[in-house]
Amino acid sequence: MKRVLTLTLGILTAIGGFIDIGDLVTDSLIGARFGMGLMWITIVAVFGIMTYAEMSARVATATKLPVYDIVRSRMGSRLSLLSAGGSFFATFLALIAELAGVALAIELFTSVSYLLWIPFVAALMWFLLWRVPFDYMERAYGVLGLALLAFVVAVWQLGPDWESLGHQVTHPPVTNGEGIPTYFFYAVVMLGAQMTPYEVIFFSSSAVEKRWSRSDLSTARLNVFIGFPLGGLLAIAIQATAAIRYFPLGIEVDHLSQTVLPVGFALGKIGLAVAILGIVAATFGATMETLLSSTYAVSQYWGWTWGKSVRRTEAARFNVLMLALLVVAAAIGLTTINPITITVYAVFFGALVLPFTFIPILITANDRRLMGDLVNGRLANTMGTVFLFVTLTASVSALPLLLATKAGL
Amino acid sequence: MLTLAIAAAACAGPSRSDDDYTNKAAQTAQAMGSLLETARLGADAAEKDRTIAPFTSVLMREMEGDASGVQSVFLTRQPPSATAVELRARVAPILTDATSVLADLRIAAYRNDVDALSRAAERIPAITETLGSIEKLTPT
């Protein structure tokens, strides 16, 4: 039973990390624009994030050190400042987007402007982080986030032409008025939406905070190998619903409401409500992950005492910073800046800085002195190198593609 | 971030030639058509009792808001020649019709008046057909 409950960390990480506001919007946008033509990116992202999450769990278990302690010791203070700073900025942008995302999802239930919900969501988040034990929170979001499975059921209920969807997978419809650079720009955006630095930071920091030992590694691996593929399945289902309802009509997706409309068609009012509930849970979980991860990045880099389970007086700087970040994120969200635009920036910037999070993990996981018998094997190294190359390629090509395609227009 | 801002500004900049203006008209028609089709799907789902009233209201409000933006960006663009002025005169009334339908849909959705939603949605196919002909325009 304990193992089943512990599995919820993986589900939370997968749902809150893989299916966050960035992914919800990007999946639907890309499904409407390219059909299933970028589904392969999701498969790459699932294997990539599984590789590095498993590696970071081993590193955290063997060294008892979180990501940015390792980054600083491996890359030196200047280069690690670039890494921690970049990841912090990308994660903080994501925090603003997630916070607004929860408010946008509640707006779909109530028709009350999301701006009025932002302070409420921020206050609730702070209260829960302050008062509720971490385990309860992750289990609640993990279980509620499973409501997103409504998208999977919706795909079936929409009765798609499976042959046509399959054809889109194997023959990406790039020629339908889209250029090859635009196709690859959105490939980079989708990779950035699905492989985020905060997924690894959150997973590894949680492992350190929960003092995982070798006996917990098998559970950690189950988390990784069940949670992320589940996130990938949900992402593909969201792409498919948009590919079925919007792609043939040439509809462009710019709003969260458009992401869930196909579920209403397929499953009616109840299905729509369940899907929106899933979005609220997933974005709320992602808000918690991005808030904690951005605070972890700064605290770990500067060597502060950090952690939700540490006495607050001992981790005063960590707790003050967390509150400050939440307040600033809410304030920025209240400026009426378009949350979807922030989401796109967060996703794009995340793709740029991703390799800086992966490189030190890969290097440390190869250090036999630190890792002992948990050192990387041939398979982990091969996969780690392949996915590092993929993220480096995406990172290097992101800016030229953005300029060449005028941000995907 | 700065690069993104520059890229966005470049997309919304003035048209220097007829070709560019025609392209912008086609893109405007495509964007407006997408908003109308989404609204039509939303109205269809509401008619079939497959959405909740607040959701439909938010969807229509967003479509109308975006449509006003699309219309405003195109109409405030300076036409570079007499031919472009003619094209503008052809496109402008269609954009007005589109935003008007979306406003009617928003009002009906807010009042949860499904009959009014259906009546407004019935006007959409004729507008999207005209928008389609503009979308197909290619620079000469």
Side-chain angles (χ1 to χ4, degrees):
Chain A
M1 188 62 188
K2 190 186 169 199
R3 176 165 287 192
V4 172
L5 289 175
T6 312
L7 271 175
T8 52
L9 173 62
I11 294 172
L12 172 69
T13 308
I15 291 175
F18 213 92
I19 305 293
D20 57 7
I21 187 71
D23 201 49
L24 284 159
V25 174
T26 308
D27 280 330
S28 193
L29 184 156
I30 285 173
R33 196 156 175 171
F34 297 100
M36 299 306 291
L38 279 167
M39 192 187 89
W40 61 274
I41 286 286
T42 302
I43 295 166
V44 168
V46 167
F47 279 99
I49 204 71
M50 282 199 309
T51 300
Y52 276 93
E54 192 274 340
M55 212 181 288
S56 69
R58 265 189 293 119
V59 168
T61 305
T63 65
K64 310 289 180 210
L65 291 173
V67 171
Y68 285 104
D69 267 8
I70 295 165
V71 170
R72 196 177 44 185
S73 63
R74 288 278 156 181
M75 296 169 76
S77 59
R78 282 192 186 171
L79 208 54
S80 63
L81 182 63
L82 186 71
S83 168
S87 293
F88 167 78
F89 187 63
T91 308
F92 181 66
L93 277 181
L95 168 63
I96 302 166
E98 303 302 340
L99 194 59
V102 183
L104 283 171
I106 299 173
E107 184 185 12
L108 297 180
F109 263 131
T110 60
S111 183
V112 174
S113 170
Y114 78 97
L115 291 169
L116 292 173
W117 291 112
I118 286 179
F120 172 76
V121 173
L124 182 66
M125 175 60 63
W126 178 248
F127 174 78
L128 291 175
L129 278 170
W130 193 256
R131 299 293 304 174
V132 179
F134 197 68
D135 287 350
Y136 292 152
M137 288 171 68
E138 67 189 27
R139 281 165 201 164
Y141 306 141
V143 171
L144 286 174
L146 288 176
L148 286 171
L149 285 169
F151 280 95
V152 179
V153 182
V155 174
W156 256 261
Q157 285 294 312
L158 285 170
D161 176 352
W162 293 104
E163 201 176 317
S164 165
L165 285 185
H167 190 263
Q168 289 168 15
V169 175
T170 51
H171 299 78
V174 184
T175 49
N176 290 359
E178 301 283 5
I180 299 281
T182 308
Y183 175 79
F184 282 106
F185 173 77
Y186 280 104
V188 170
V189 167
M190 187 178 251
L191 195 74
Q194 298 182 336
M195 290 178 82
T196 56
Y198 80 80
E199 287 168 80
V200 173
I201 298 168
F202 181 76
F203 197 71
S204 117
S205 300
S206 300
V208 172
E209 191 163 10
K210 286 165 179 266
R211 294 189 173 83
W212 276 1
S213 62
R214 279 165 184 268
S215 60
D216 295 309
L217 257 185
S218 58
T219 309
R221 286 180 175 135
L222 268 178
N223 282 335
V224 168
F225 297 136
I226 292 175
F228 287 111
L230 175 65
L233 174 71
L234 294 173
I236 289 170
I238 296 166
Q239 290 162 41
T241 53
I244 296 163
R245 287 304 318 200
Y246 297 145
F247 179 67
L249 297 171
I251 288 176
E252 295 163 24
V253 171
D254 290 311
H255 297 280
L256 194 57
S257 56
Q258 291 174 290
T259 302
V260 276
L261 180 60
V263 180
F265 264 102
L267 305 175
K269 285 180 177 179
I270 306 265
L272 183 77
V274 169
I276 297 173
L277 177 70
I279 291 175
V280 171
T283 47
F284 204 86
T287 307
M288 187 191 76
E289 285 187 24
T290 47
L291 176 61
L292 284 169
S293 298
S294 46
T295 317
Y296 287 151
V298 175
S299 305
Q300 290 169 7
Y301 176 79
W302 292 108
W304 298 347
T305 304
W306 60 273
K308 185 173 150 31
S309 53
V310 179
R311 283 168 60 109
R312 284 173 201 126
T313 47
E314 287 173 25
R317 285 180 289 197
F318 172 82
N319 282 289
V320 169
L321 177 64
M322 190 159 62
L323 177 61
L325 291 177
L326 188 58
V327 170
V328 173
I332 294 173
L334 284 170
T335 59
T336 72
I337 187 167
N338 186 341
I340 303 300
T341 307
I342 296 182
T343 303
V344 174
Y345 287 177
V347 161
F348 178 78
F349 201 75
L352 274 177
V353 302
L354 196 57
F356 292 105
T357 308
F358 285 176
I359 289 169
I361 294 173
L362 185 61
I363 294 171
T364 309
N366 273 288
D367 188 332
R368 189 171 290 280
R369 191 173 48 85
L370 282 172
M371 297 291 292
D373 61 344
L374 293 177
V375 73
N376 264 5
R378 192 171 292 171
L379 180 65
N381 270 336
T382 305
M383 291 186 72
T385 307
V386 167
F387 291 116
L388 181 63
F389 178 74
V390 169
T391 54
L392 273 171
T393 307
S395 177
V396 169
S397 58
L399 202 56
L401 282 172
L402 177 122
L403 294 172
T405 65
K406 293 180 180 174
L409 288 173
Chain B
M1 206 59 65
L2 180 65
T3 320
L4 282 168
I6 292 167
C11 299
S15 299
R16 295 197 189 94
S17 65
D18 279 358
D19 285 359
D20 188 32
Y21 195 78
T22 307
N23 267 331
K24 294 286 192 281
Q27 285 167 10
T28 301
Q30 188 182 14
M32 192 61 94
S34 161
L35 296 166
L36 285 169
E37 284 295 347
T38 305
R40 192 179 58 76
L41 286 178
D44 188 23
E47 211 178 318
K48 291 174 178 158
D49 200 27
R50 301 189 81 78
T51 59
I52 48 179
F55 174 86
T56 313
S57 177
V58 172
L59 181 74
M60 297 305 176
R61 193 167 67 207
E62 288 171 344
M63 295 306 110
E64 189 200 4
D66 284 7
S68 299
V70 167
Q71 182 187 27
S72 163
V73 166
F74 182 75
L75 294 184
T76 53
R77 191 180 295 279
Q78 182 64 31
S81 67
T83 315
V85 171
E86 278 175 30
L87 178 59
R88 184 183 187 279
R90 192 179 146 201
V91 174
I94 306 163
L95 298 181
T96 305
D97 286 351
T99 49
S100 167
V101 168
L102 289 168
D104 290 347
L105 285 166
R106 188 250 310 156
I107 292 164
Y110 185 77
R111 295 176 58 231
N112 199 18
D113 185 343
V114 177
D115 291 338
L117 261 179
S118 303
R119 280 197 304 277
E122 279 169 12
R123 287 153 54 201
I124 291 178
I127 302 171
T128 48
E129 200 181 320
T130 318
L131 285 169
S133 65
I134 294 166
E135 215 178 302
K136 285 182 192 133
L137 288 177
T138 46
T140 49

